[in-house]
Amino acid sequence: MSTTTTLPLYRQLAAHYRGAIEAGSLQPGARLPSLRSLMQLHDVSLSTALQLCRTLESDGWAEARERSGYFVRRPQRLGMAPMDEPDADVQPDPAQYVGIHSRVSDFVARRRAADVKLNLSIARAAPQFYPADALRAAMTRALRLHPELVAGVPPLRGDPQFRTVLAKRAVAAGMVLSPDEVLVTNGCIEALNLALRAVAQPGDTIAVESPTFYGLLQVLESLGLRALEIPTSPQTGLSIEALELAARTYGDIKAVVVVPHLQNPLGSVMPDAHKQRLVQLCDAQGIALIEDDTYTELLDAEQPPRAIKSWDATGNVIHCASMHKILAPGLRLGWISAGRWQARVEMLKYTQSRNNEVLSQRGAGEFMATGAYDRHLRRLRTALRSQRERTAEAIAKYFPEGTRLNLPPGGLQLWVELPAGCASAQVFDAALQQGILVAPGFLFSNSARSDHFLRLNCGWPYDAEIDGALRTLGGIAGQVARAA
Amino acid sequence: MSTTTTLPLYRQLAAHYRGAIEAGSLQPGARLPSLRSLMQLHDVSLSTALQLCRTLESDGWAEARERSGYFVRRPQRLGMAPMDEPDADVQPDPAQYVGIHSRVSDFVARRRAADVKLNLSIARAAPQFYPADALRAAMTRALRLHPELVAGVPPLRGDPQFRTVLAKRAVAAGMVLSPDEVLVTNGCIEALNLALRAVAQPGDTIAVESPTFYGLLQVLESLGLRALEIPTSPQTGLSIEALELAARTYGDIKAVVVVPHLQNPLGSVMPDAHKQRLVQLCDAQGIALIEDDTYTELLDAEQPPRAIKSWDATGNVIHCASMHKILAPGLRLGWISAGRWQARVEMLKYTQSRNNEVLSQRGAGEFMATGAYDRHLRRLRTALRSQRERTAEAIAKYFPEGTRLNLPPGGLQLWVELPAGCASAQVFDAALQQGILVAPGFLFSNSARSDHFLRLNCGWPYDAEIDGALRTLGGIAGQVARAA
């Protein structure tokens, strides 16, 4: 996929009609202009007019009626019930040592034993959505021009050019960082390890969102830390009230790890006011605030929202981010800016894995300094939005009554609430027998609260295979729900 | 530097004459054949004959006498006293939490503040000694042929091709590993972190060689582990008797970390019998045995000696290694094979930094599968040997009476014992004022035992600048020694 062009014409026109429907200018049931009218109106070919209508149809905004043309329709997904908001004034469970390794190992072992035809358990876009050609060209150029990349020792903190680009882009999210305050890591996961090792000792309590991604629970478990699960809204993210209550109840929370934008798995986005309150609360309580910024660039927005770090006046916020999901899954590029723990984090990074190799940083930095990077992000967001919506449409169509869903404003995945009592473990098992791999909810929390949820990847182009798998999954969920 | 040619003719001839001198066929004081005779004898040009004599001279095996030709001489370095062997039956100091970070931070801060002209503190060969061109070509090819390297997710455990090459080469060191028992890491330092995290908990005691490289002490400190320093011979490495005594005295040693070949900083090499006894002792005492194999390929030997892991019948030996010093300092390639802890190490690696990027593995694996890799290693060893010997010769010439030195049979560095009472901290300070950076002994132990030692890098081509710096260093050491 080229990353240098803008959206194709039929997609621009589809967005226009979709806007009209969302605004109410076109009501459900109304007839769309005929193909001939569309050709004249927009001065386009028959093929473009047809693609426009089919796009509206596949996105759920129109339906074809035989010999009558296309009619406006309300997507079924919009009729699904949203999830409940969490009770913020319920006491959180006491912090516990995680126990997630055995569950993940079990998950991995079952996956390996099965014949997986379709993997919906990941959180990643298809390879063709990433600018591999441009990155390969930049890396090839760097190899030609810079022999020292191979035989010289990688620079402290990471490649200066790459750090400069990262610092510059951080400005758009409200952060003022010098390139020397940016430390390049092996992905966001290493950044999170370093952040937690910098602020906490084994046995300490770390507050996390509930549900949260199992990668974080694994990190906590492997570092001997306790997880205190804080209720989290599917819409607005971590409940500040609940964190306040937990701090009052349990005291001595060493840090809180938050994904402010497109939380994994919820897809929630924290309002700015919440981020500000969180910064103040953590400052006041002496809780280190660790911000995981992996998904922000996948928000359906031209401008990124402000990072939590942008309100940090005391150095109490540790910002962690990654290029893994947004630029290139094959490159292990993350970074950290650790406020008042920067020196300790640098020491831990050096002690844990030394400085990162330069080549991929150079390639990424070069690409990210050009307009092609933003064009790539726009295309990726557009594709993901359509894929999320079509997946949601299929869930609305195929899943049993009582299934709930919040459509997140961006990202790679959907978090699906099955009817109460419909155990995701059973759905997981039955789906795996059909070659379909999903991420069952029990991986995302130590409590039983997520047991009837599934996380589904939307990173691949929606096609008949995916549609068929979602139909199968819906059928399985229905059976499990009826048996429950 | 090309890596595909063998040694130049004059070097081959120099090795021949050197052999004759070492064997006693040519005695010190004997006249070497004239240039004319050498030309006839070996059917070489005048220039080659001259280079031969100059090489013998610069390596310390001959001296030119005006109008009389070249005469055999015994290198001065061979007259230096060797270091004392450690007392194996002296009780080791109790294990302690390390305290090395502050010393290293101080060292780094002073280095940054100074105007360093010559850095002898590192342990690394000059960039021109590494096969950068061949590696760049291999990586460029991989980028062209494998777009998935950028946009696809890196494979579990590392690139299969690279792991296959590593497993194959391990056979020469007596290890039988399947490629799936090889896990690629970010350098040996990550491998050591994983090994220690797999076998020990914060607060546990780890036995280490004394002296040892400060990188290891930093890892122990950052993981909250205690270091129990075991006396180590400058010739035969870790004292097994001393470890036995320590195990009897202190009990509960969780692991021992050993560099069997070219120990850093000593340059010692463990005899096979010691390695075997160590394996037995650790098995019997339930001490995990962590082998750091970073330097083996830099031994002056065509065949690598047997790895400790090669005697491992119970899975108790964790083998860690790295390409950093021997193939490419710019690539962060290490690996680990963790015996019965393999599954736990894999989990910790995944949790700490996920899978490594593939590109550098692909490039290294491709190069290492060819004969060019062994040719590169031979050339590197030859160059390092000459550089070590010339550095030792300069130490013999310039350093004060009472300086002691063991010439290691390979590697990148020399460990120099200054006269008793000559504090390396003072030498370090005075040298830094002259722009010369050395690694002072106090970085290599928690005890004061290494305080009058220096570690000097021999990785750069010996030239007038290095010679001048060693002369300056010798002068400084002399002043400090006299004042002591």
Side-chain angles (χ1 to χ4, degrees):
Chain A
M1 173 179 281
S2 160
T3 57
T4 52
T5 54
T6 51
L7 282 185
L9 188 55
Y10 74 92
R11 281 225 160 261
Q12 295 178 34
L13 290 171
H16 166 76
Y17 279 94
R18 174 187 177 143
I21 301 168
E22 288 184 297
S25 317
L26 286 169
Q27 292 284 332
R31 194 175 181 281
L32 282 173
S34 69
L35 290 174
R36 182 183 305 267
S37 311
L38 288 169
M39 289 166 65
Q40 287 174 346
L41 262 170
H42 304 292
D43 194 18
V44 296
S45 67
L46 174 63
S47 139
T48 298
L50 202 55
Q51 279 184 296
L52 153 59
C53 292
R54 289 197 177 142
T55 300
L56 286 173
E57 185 184 21
S58 63
D59 286 355
W61 296 99
E63 60 190 337
R65 293 189 198 150
E66 226 171 316
R67 280 189 302 275
S68 314
Y70 285 88
F71 290 81
V72 173
R73 111 190 232 285
R74 186 162 182 261
Q76 269 182 271
R77 60 185 177 264
L78 300 182
M80 293 187 80
M83 298 174 190
D84 288 338
E85 289 295 306
D87 282 333
D89 51 357
V90 168
Q91 204 75 281
D93 303 329
Q96 44 182 313
Y97 289 109
V98 183
I100 195 80
H101 283 325
S102 57
R103 266 177 288 164
V104 172
S105 300
D106 185 49
F107 169 78
V108 169
R110 290 210 228 177
R111 182 179 71 191
R112 282 195 188 156
D115 178 22
V116 175
K117 295 188 193 77
L118 187 66
N119 188 348
L120 297 174
S121 77
I122 51 182
R124 196 165 72 238
Q128 64 266 35
F129 289 126
Y130 295 103
D133 290 345
L135 288 169
R136 286 157 68 206
M139 289 163 76
T140 302
R141 207 158 37 239
L143 275 171
R144 195 176 67 240
L145 298 176
H146 303 287
E148 75 279 7
L149 296 190
V150 170
V153 166
L156 271 181
R157 300 189 183 118
D159 181 47
Q161 278 180 239
F162 182 51
R163 288 189 284 115
T164 302
V165 171
L166 292 171
K168 196 169 159 197
R169 287 194 71 93
V171 173
M175 291 180 280
V176 181
L177 304 174
S178 95
D180 279 353
E181 292 172 299
V182 171
L183 174 67
V184 177
T185 58
N186 292 293
C188 193
I189 203 76
E190 187 177 53
L192 288 171
N193 271 270
L194 297 171
L196 288 164
R197 292 184 62 192
V199 304
Q201 298 293 322
D204 284 346
T205 293
I206 309 297
V208 300
E209 298 151 321
S210 183
T212 190
F213 67 110
Y214 51 88
L216 176 61
L217 295 176
Q218 281 188 301
V219 172
L220 295 181
E221 176 169 349
S222 70
L223 294 175
L225 298 167
R226 291 168 196 262
L228 180 64
E229 297 193 24
I230 306 294
T232 300
S233 154
Q235 308 220 35
T236 59
L238 185 88
S239 162
I240 316 292
E241 292 78 11
L243 180 63
E244 268 173 338
L245 179 63
R248 271 202 309 276
T249 311
Y250 298 111
D252 211 29
I253 299 172
K254 271 286 158 33
V256 57
V257 183
V258 180
V259 183
H261 311 136
L262 299 175
Q263 198 265 2
N264 180 0
L266 291 170
S268 56
V269 175
M270 286 180 85
D272 279 358
H274 289 213
K275 297 179 214 167
Q276 261 180 291
R277 278 179 56 206
L278 180 61
V279 169
Q280 287 160 2
L281 173 66
C282 289
D283 259 342
Q285 300 273 346
I287 300 171
L289 207 173
I290 301 172
E291 173 176 35
D292 175 348
D293 192 38
T294 300
Y295 296 98
T296 302
E297 296 281 17
L298 300 183
L299 268 170
D300 294 334
E302 270 300 300
Q303 283 300 313
R306 281 182 67 174
I308 293 177
K309 178 84 182 156
S310 73
W311 282 281
D312 181 24
T314 61
N316 191 46
V317 179
I318 303 181
H319 186 87
C320 303
S322 166
M323 301 293 117
H324 190 64
K325 309 276 186 185
I326 58 179
L327 179 66
L331 308 184
R332 294 293 308 143
L333 291 177
W335 60 281
I336 185 169
S337 190
R340 66 166 175 266
W341 291 280
Q342 188 71 11
R344 179 158 168 80
V345 163
E346 283 186 9
M347 181 278 289
L348 287 170
K349 163 67 172 148
Y350 185 79
T351 304
Q352 181 166 298
S353 64
R354 299 283 188 267
N355 316 315
N356 276 43
E357 297 185 358
V358 175
L359 183 59
S360 53
Q361 300 177 61
R362 194 61 65 84
E366 200 178 292
F367 179 76
M368 289 168 67
T370 67
Y373 180 47
D374 281 312
R375 287 195 293 278
H376 149 68
L377 289 174
R378 273 198 292 276
R379 290 186 67 93
L380 177 58
R381 281 182 210 123
T382 305
L384 291 178
R385 180 172 178 179
S386 159
Q387 290 161 200
R388 283 194 314 273
E389 291 179 346
R390 295 183 70 179
T391 304
E393 203 61 15
I395 291 169
K397 203 157 104 194
Y398 301 133
F399 275 51
E401 181 89 33
T403 299
R404 301 208 274 178
L405 185 68
N406 289 45
L407 254 184
L412 293 157
Q413 56 208 13
L414 292 178
W415 180 240
V416 184
E417 181 173 6
L418 302 175
C422 181
S424 65
Q426 280 177 267
V427 176
F428 167 80
D429 281 335
L432 199 52
Q433 283 181 15
Q434 314 267 345
I436 303 163
L437 185 66
V438 299
F442 64 77
L443 291 176
F444 297 83
S445 169
N446 269 321
S447 79
R449 276 190 299 274
S450 297
D451 282 359
H452 63 298
F453 286 79
L454 296 178
R455 196 191 68 183
L456 299 178
N457 185 52
C458 306
W460 257 247
Y462 198 90
D463 61 10
E465 187 193 4
I466 294 177
D467 191 75
L470 291 170
R471 181 197 294 260
T472 304
L473 263 182
I476 291 170
Q479 281 169 8
V480 174
R482 279 190 299 278
Chain B
M1 171 178 285
S2 159
T3 57
T4 52
T5 54
T6 50
L7 282 185
L9 188 54
Y10 74 92
R11 281 223 161 262
Q12 295 178 34
L13 290 171
H16 167 74
Y17 279 94
R18 174 186 177 144
I21 299 168
E22 290 185 298
S25 318
L26 286 169
Q27 291 283 332
R31 193 174 182 281
L32 282 173
S34 68
L35 289 174
R36 183 184 304 269
S37 310
L38 288 169
M39 289 165 67
Q40 286 174 345
L41 261 169
H42 303 292
D43 194 19
V44 296
S45 67
L46 174 62
S47 139
T48 299
L50 202 57
Q51 279 184 295
L52 153 58
C53 292
R54 289 196 175 142
T55 300
L56 287 172
E57 185 183 23
S58 64
D59 286 355
W61 297 99
E63 60 190 336
R65 293 186 197 154
E66 224 171 315
R67 280 189 303 275
S68 314
Y70 286 87
F71 290 81
V72 173
R73 116 189 227 285
R74 186 160 181 264
Q76 270 182 268
R77 60 184 178 265
L78 300 183
M80 295 186 79
M83 298 175 190
D84 288 338
E85 289 294 307
D87 282 332
D89 51 358
V90 168
Q91 205 73 281
D93 303 331
Q96 44 183 312
Y97 289 110
V98 182
I100 195 81
H101 284 327
S102 57
R103 269 177 284 166
V104 171
S105 300
D106 186 48
F107 169 79
V108 170
R110 292 210 226 177
R111 182 178 73 192
R112 281 195 188 156
D115 179 21
V116 175
K117 294 189 194 78
L118 186 66
N119 188 348
L120 297 174
S121 78
I122 50 181
R124 195 165 73 238
Q128 64 265 34
F129 289 125
Y130 295 104
D133 290 346
L135 288 169
R136 284 157 69 207
M139 287 161 76
T140 302
R141 208 160 34 241
L143 274 171
R144 195 176 67 240
L145 298 177
H146 303 287
E148 75 279 7
L149 296 191
V150 170
V153 166
L156 270 181
R157 301 190 182 116
D159 181 46
Q161 280 180 239
F162 181 51
R163 289 189 283 113
T164 302
V165 171
L166 291 171
K168 196 169 160 197
R169 287 194 70 94
V171 173
M175 292 180 280
V176 181
L177 304 173
S178 95
D180 279 353
E181 292 172 300
V182 170
L183 175 68
V184 177
T185 60
N186 292 292
C188 192
I189 202 76
E190 187 176 55
L192 287 172
N193 271 272
L194 297 171
L196 287 163
R197 291 184 64 192
V199 303
Q201 297 294 322
D204 283 346
T205 293
I206 309 295
V208 300
E209 297 151 323
S210 183
T212 190
F213 68 108
Y214 51 88
L216 176 61
L217 295 176
Q218 281 187 302
V219 173
L220 295 182
E221 176 168 349
S222 70
L223 294 176
L225 299 167
R226 293 168 195 261
L228 180 65
E229 297 194 23
I230 306 295
T232 301
S233 156
Q235 308 221 37
T236 59
L238 185 88
S239 162
I240 315 292
E241 292 78 11
L243 180 63
E244 269 173 340
L245 180 63
R248 271 202 307 277
T249 312
Y250 297 112
D252 212 28
I253 299 172
K254 271 286 159 31
V256 56
V257 183
V258 180
V259 183
H261 310 135
L262 299 175
Q263 198 265 2
N264 181 0
L266 292 171
S268 55
V269 176
M270 287 179 84
D272 279 358
H274 289 212
K275 297 179 212 166
Q276 262 180 291
R277 277 180 55 206
L278 181 61
V279 169
Q280 288 160 0
L281 173 65
C282 289
D283 259 341
Q285 301 273 347
I287 300 171
L289 207 174
I290 300 173
E291 173 177 36
D292 175 348
D293 192 39
T294 300
Y295 296 99
T296 302
E297 296 280 18
L298 300 183
L299 269 171
D300 295 332
E302 271 298 300
Q303 282 301 313
R306 280 181 67 171
I308 294 177
K309 178 85 181 155
S310 73
W311 282 281
D312 182 24
T314 62
N316 191 46
V317 178
I318 302 182
H319 186 88
C320 302
S322 166
M323 301 293 117
H324 190 63
K325 309 277 184 184
I326 57 179
L327 179 66
L331 307 184
R332 296 293 307 142
L333 291 177
W335 60 281
I336 186 169
S337 189
R340 66 167 174 265
W341 290 280
Q342 188 71 10
R344 179 156 168 81
V345 162
E346 283 185 9
M347 181 278 288
L348 287 170
K349 163 66 173 149
Y350 185 79
T351 304
Q352 182 167 298
S353 64
R354 298 284 187 266
N355 316 316
N356 276 42
E357 295 183 4
V358 175
L359 183 59
S360 53
Q361 300 177 61
R362 194 61 65 84
E366 201 178 292
F367 179 75
M368 289 169 67
T370 67
Y373 180 47
D374 282 312
R375 288 194 293 278
H376 149 68
L377 289 174
R378 273 198 293 275
R379 290 187 66 93
L380 177 57
R381 281 183 211 122
T382 305
L384 292 178
R385 179 172 177 178
S386 161
Q387 289 160 201
R388 284 193 315 272
E389 291 179 346
R390 295 183 71 177
T391 303
E393 202 62 15
I395 291 168
K397 201 154 105 194
Y398 300 135
F399 275 52
E401 182 87 32
T403 298
R404 301 207 274 178
L405 187 68
N406 289 45
L407 255 182
L412 292 158
Q413 55 207 14
L414 292 178
W415 180 240
V416 184
E417 182 174 6
L418 301 174
C422 181
S424 67
Q426 281 178 265
V427 176
F428 167 78
D429 280 335
L432 199 53
Q433 282 181 16
Q434 313 267 346
I436 304 164
L437 185 66
V438 299
F442 64 78
L443 291 177
F444 297 84
S445 170
N446 270 321
S447 79
R449 277 190 300 274
S450 297
D451 281 359
H452 63 297
F453 286 79
L454 296 178
R455 196 192 66 183
L456 300 177
N457 185 51
C458 306
W460 257 249
Y462 198 90
D463 61 12
E465 189 193 3
I466 293 176
D467 191 75
L470 291 171
R471 181 197 294 260
T472 303
L473 263 182
I476 291 169
Q479 282 169 9
V480 174
R482 280 191 297 279

